Amino acid sequence: MQFSKRLDRFGAEVFSSLNQKRLQLEAEGRTIYNLSVGTPDFHPYDHVVQALRDAAADPAQWKYSLGDLPELKQAVCDYYARRFGVEGITPDMVASCNGTQEGVGHLGLALLDAGDTVLVPDPCYPVFEAGVKIADGELAYYPLEAEHDFLPYVAGIDPEVADRAKYMIVSLPANPVGSVGTPELYEEVIAFAREHDLIIVHDNAYSDIVYDGPRGGSFLGYPGALEVGVEFFSLSKSFNVTGARIGFLVGRADIVAAFAKLRSQIDFGMFFPIQKAAIAALTGPLDEVEHQRHLYEERRDALCRGLEAIGWERPNAHGTMFVWAKLPGGRTDSMAFCEELMERAGVVVTPGASFGPSGEGYVRMALVLPPEGLRAAVAAIEAAGIR
């Protein structure tokens, strides 16, 4: 069997290889602190679960949905007004997807022709690259560097590359680097999009996990954003429903329509009970979401202060459920360091190199243990003498 050459564009799945080593160590009786995959350990909220149960008990809800319920689209519109203060979102500006990872992965098929250029942050979540590769597009990286607080620096992007680009992916709060956008930055990005006639695709999966101040917001709330862009919005981390895969593309209506047209060819629509659960999340109380944000901040503080106390450089961690840590002791090979950290300390993290060329020299750590668990992980690192 000759498989598609398209598969050659994708490397080995890092999480899989790390997981195999983790399972081996656990079988040997080792204590393992798994900070590699960003799966929340918090529970979904009761009213969301109950909505799913009630819908699943109705046999009529088990048919093909063939699209989004009108009340689901309206719930997203109302949520943007209530939560983000963004007025003017209408149902034709909303389309669901089976999680924003799937959404980003498919968007290129709707927007790109072979050879079209996309500006992608480096480091970035891997599907940003994969979605372009699947659509036969060309990647053009723009670096997220410490000297610019791991934020997009549009002044440093080659104007000729920007003129060729069809769209630019911006992800804030940013996985894996943990940076958070500012009003001034969003204004610069919108002006940059206008200047170079490109679309902004904003990933807003972590709007409810922002530290050191007020809650996060939406890119679409800035003047001009709805003219130049769209935003992927997820319920996964805010409401702890990662396995349900509930995401939306929101924004400029023509882009949303193109995306929905593509998805209609490959999917029969989101399962009705999941749509009902999404409606419950979007229309229900948000006090638990805000409380959870502060719990994540406590975890961030426990891990970052602990690593700093044993001699590591203070990680970058202003938002998301991750911290971005520079390799200690002058090390430069992130994959080798991950193997060393797992073998010697029992702490599993993700190598920065798996997030793009500029990720080398760093690791990503997920805040998926309570503060005492993170402090225990730091103690294990200190006991192993890794500094």
Side-chain angles (χ1 to χ4, degrees):
M1 176 66 187
Q2 295 296 315
F3 296 104
S4 169
K5 291 183 174 59
R6 186 175 287 107
L7 293 178
D8 297 337
R9 303 170 190 170
F10 309 106
E13 215 285 317
V14 171
F15 292 123
S16 177
S17 61
L18 289 173
N19 193 52
Q20 289 301 313
K21 179 64 175 176
R22 175 185 67 84
L23 292 173
Q24 177 187 332
L25 292 176
E26 286 179 336
E28 295 170 2
R30 293 280 301 276
T31 297
I32 299 296
Y33 304 93
N34 188 2
L35 309 182
S36 63
V37 181
T39 300
D41 58 313
F42 296 110
H43 293 164
Y45 308 135
D46 290 343
H47 65 285
V48 177
V49 175
Q50 191 60 51
L52 178 67
R53 285 188 180 128
D54 291 345
D58 179 1
Q61 302 296 320
W62 288 76
K63 298 177 181 179
Y64 290 132
S65 69
L66 302 178
D68 298 331
L69 291 167
E71 54 265 42
L72 175 60
K73 288 193 173 192
Q74 189 60 52
V76 174
C77 298
D78 294 344
Y79 187 88
Y80 262 74
R82 175 169 71 116
R83 168 65 181 86
F84 299 130
V86 179
E87 303 289 348
I89 302 296
T90 53
D92 63 327
M93 301 166 70
V94 177
S96 73
C97 51
N98 293 318
T100 53
Q101 172 152 330
E102 180 257 16
V104 173
H106 282 154
L107 182 65
L109 293 173
L111 301 186
L112 300 176
D113 291 317
D116 283 346
T117 298
V118 178
L119 285 164
V120 175
D122 174 29
C124 72
Y125 191 62
V127 78
F128 297 170
E129 301 169 308
V132 177
K133 294 176 180 179
I134 289 169
D136 298 321
E138 297 292 331
L139 289 164
Y141 293 108
Y142 65 90
L144 305 179
E145 300 173 317
E147 65 179 296
H148 297 296
D149 299 319
F150 296 100
L151 290 167
Y153 180 60
V154 295
I157 298 175
D158 185 337
E160 293 186 4
V161 176
D163 284 338
R164 290 200 311 272
K166 203 159 193 179
Y167 63 88
M168 174 181 182
I169 298 178
V170 177
S171 176
L172 295 166
N175 176 9
V177 297
S179 49
V180 173
T182 64
E184 295 77 15
L185 173 64
Y186 285 120
E187 290 165 3
E188 289 177 7
V189 166
I190 291 166
F192 181 79
R194 286 173 166 157
E195 179 183 358
H196 296 285
D197 192 25
L198 55 80
I199 295 299
I200 301 299
V201 176
H202 185 249
D203 178 41
N204 195 26
Y206 296 94
S207 58
D208 288 309
I209 310 180
V210 173
Y211 311 127
D212 308 314
R215 294 187 299 173
S218 166
F219 162 71
L220 300 180
Y222 292 90
L226 284 169
E227 300 168 14
V228 301
V230 289
E231 176 169 273
F232 278 106
F233 165 63
S234 170
L235 303 189
S236 289
K237 304 309 193 304
S238 298
F239 296 91
N240 309 310
V241 292
T242 51
R245 316 305 303 132
I246 307 172
F248 303 93
L249 183 65
V250 184
R252 217 175 89 172
D254 59 338
I255 299 172
V256 171
F259 176 72
K261 181 178 180 180
L262 173 78
R263 292 201 69 250
S264 72
Q265 303 304 303
I266 56 179
D267 184 25
F268 281 118
M270 187 181 291
F271 186 39
F272 278 132
I274 291 180
Q275 293 197 46
K276 296 291 188 179
I279 292 168
L282 292 164
T283 60
L286 299 177
D287 52 331
E288 290 180 282
V289 178
E290 176 65 1
H291 176 63
Q292 184 171 282
R293 179 170 77 98
H294 293 292
L295 294 178
Y296 271 122
E297 187 166 356
E298 291 175 8
R299 294 177 177 204
R300 187 277 309 260
D301 291 343
L303 181 57
C304 291
R305 290 171 183 170
L307 291 174
E308 195 174 23
I310 66 172
W312 289 39
E313 184 176 308
R314 174 83 179 188
N316 194 66
H318 302 288
T320 79
M321 57 185 297
F322 305 105
V323 303
W324 186 243
K326 188 174 183 180
L327 303 187
R331 296 171 175 84
T332 57
D333 186 329
S334 59
M335 188 64 189
F337 177 73
C338 286
E339 293 172 349
E340 175 189 4
L341 192 66
M342 195 186 317
E343 183 66 43
R344 293 176 57 187
V347 177
V348 188
V349 300
T350 306
S354 65
F355 299 103
S358 296
E360 187 56 276
Y362 292 84
V363 291
R364 189 194 75 174
M365 299 177 161
L367 300 173
V368 292
L369 294 177
E372 58 270 22
L374 295 169
R375 283 190 282 267
V378 172
I381 294 171
E382 182 179 28
I386 301 175
R387 61 185 65 187

